[in-house]
Amino acid sequence: MAVDVVKRCRATARLDLADHDPRETFGWDKEAAKLELDEVMGEVDALQTRLFAAEEHAVLVVLQAMDAGGKDGTIRTVMRYLNPAGVDVNAFGVPSDEERAHDYLWRVHHHAPTKGTIGVFNRSHYEDVLVVRVKEFVPEGVWRRRYRHIREFERMLTDEGTHVVKLFLNMSADEQRDRMQDRIDDPTERWKFRMGDLDDRAQWDQYQAAFRDALRETSTSSAPWYVVPADRKWVRNLVVAKILLHHLRAIDPQLPPSEEGLDGLVIP
Ligand code: ADP
């Protein structure tokens, strides 16, 4: 029987990351998985066209991962199947002075996708319960109450027609070491490496605890988190594609009705 990957990857309130193997393959074959990616994303693309035409719903895909976890690679490899006109990708780095002068949800809300489009957040409001917690930028009481803000913010988005899908690209520490080493050794990749990445890597366990708690606290039925096995890029890509397909099928966007009198019309 086919594995229900979407269900298997879904985070629950009792999430234990030890139950999610970053090297999982679900018994798939690499070459077959690449072909299936074309197939699955073909269907996602057709649904995206309907989403765009219907202009009733939006989809917000939140991508979070450790450094070198594959956020950029996922965007490049999976999202390229979609019509760029209907996709809006935003990355959230260290907040600017203006962003810092507002509440932490301000900058992300501003970039929430418009109806008919798919928004992708490369990092997101979750940084405010991840890096902010690990680096102790604010006291515990401040980041802890943000779980509730985030649940309520995302609930508001879903109530208003934006489907929120959250993906944690779950990479192992060994795989991160290899990818960082490759970045340093390859002159065309070196620009991606910052010395600060080593500090984050040294706090691996603290980040894992922060991810675990964030996923436990904010994975809801209307805005679920998924733990995507991310050591193997081909597995990661297909899992992400299947999750997107699952959610777009659930939305089931319908083409708007055509104007009266088009049946049998012949263009003069
Ligand atoms: P990436 O590593 O995603 O390719 P950058 O190299 O620009 O992109 O890194 C973005 C950095 O911004 C990360 O170190 C991340 O932890 C940091 N960051 C993002 N959001 C916040 C935030 N709200 N507060 C502090 N730092 C943040």
Side-chain angles (χ1 to χ4, degrees), residues 149-237:
H149 304 157
I150 291 174
R151 282 195 299 269
E152 289 173 359
F153 167 63
E154 292 177 355
R155 181 67 210 223
M156 182 278 290
L157 291 179
T158 54
D159 282 352
E160 295 291 319
T162 297
H163 292 245
V164 183
V165 181
K166 301 175 291 195
L167 307 173
F168 169 49
L169 307 181
N170 185 32
M171 167 188 60
S172 67
D174 285 349
E175 180 68 19
Q176 188 195 46
R177 185 198 48 231
D178 293 349
R179 289 185 190 180
M180 282 184 167
Q181 192 65 56
D182 288 347
R183 284 182 175 185
I184 292 167
D185 295 346
D186 180 347
T188 66
E189 294 265 316
R190 200 172 263 190
W191 63 273
K192 294 185 187 172
F193 185 82
R194 291 176 299 112
M195 279 307 214
D197 295 349
L198 289 181
D199 301 332
D200 285 341
R201 178 167 165 77
Q203 291 181 297
W204 180 272
D205 291 343
Q206 289 96 311
Y207 273 106
Q208 290 295 106
F211 272 113
R212 179 202 58 210
D213 291 346
L215 269 62
R216 280 185 183 170
E217 294 281 345
T218 63
S219 192
T220 62
S221 54
S222 56
W225 268 108
Y226 294 93
V227 182
V228 177
D231 275 12
R232 295 181 165 89
K233 294 172 184 172
W234 59 273
V235 175
R236 173 201 76 199
N237 294 339

Side-chain angles (χ1 to χ4, degrees), residues 74-87:
T74 302
I75 293 168
R76 195 174 55 242
T77 327
V78 181
M79 303 303 166
R80 74 180 164 84
Y81 287 88
L82 304 176
N83 179 352
V87 181

Side-chain angles (χ1 to χ4, degrees), residues 67 71 92-95 107 123 127-128 131-132 137 194:
D67 289 317
K71 300 186 305 304
F92 297 96
V94 176
R107 67 171 180 164
R123 301 185 188 267
E127 293 293 325
D128 292 279
V131 62
V132 164
F137 291 154
R194 291 176 299 112

Side-chain angles (χ1 to χ4, degrees), residues 29-160:
D29 164 79
K30 186 172 178 177
E31 288 315 307
K34 285 184 176 167
L35 294 175
E36 197 181 349
L37 180 67
D38 291 344
E39 219 173 278
V40 172
M41 286 310 294
E43 193 176 341
V44 172
D45 180 43
L47 285 162
Q48 186 211 14
T49 302
R50 281 161 51 182
L51 185 86
F52 191 78
E55 276 184 276
E56 278 183 10
H57 297 275
V59 176
L60 171 59
V61 180
V62 171
L63 279 173
Q64 288 286 165
M66 294 294 288
D67 289 317
K71 300 186 305 304
D72 296 298
T74 302
I75 293 168
R76 195 174 55 242
T77 327
V78 181
M79 303 303 166
R80 74 180 164 84
Y81 287 88
L82 304 176
N83 179 352
V87 181
D88 184 23
V89 181
N90 285 280
F92 297 96
V94 176
S96 67
D97 288 344
E98 190 190 17
E99 288 168 347
R100 226 184 277 279
H102 289 84
D103 67 85
Y104 68 98
L105 290 175
W106 178 79
R107 67 171 180 164
V108 285
H109 194 187
H110 183 67
H111 288 291
T114 53
K115 290 193 171 70
T117 67
I118 297 180
V120 181
F121 282 0
N122 180 348
R123 301 185 188 267
S124 65
H125 43 302
Y126 283 94
E127 293 293 325
D128 292 279
V129 290
L130 294 168
V131 62
V132 164
R133 163 179 170 175
V134 173
K135 304 288 182 198
E136 299 181 8
F137 291 154
V138 298
E140 176 167 352
V142 173
W143 58 257
R144 209 168 260 291
R145 68 187 177 209
R146 289 181 176 170
Y147 296 137
R148 178 171 50 82
H149 304 157
I150 291 174
R151 282 195 299 269
E152 289 173 359
F153 167 63
E154 292 177 355
R155 181 67 210 223
M156 182 278 290
L157 291 179
T158 54
D159 282 352
E160 295 291 319

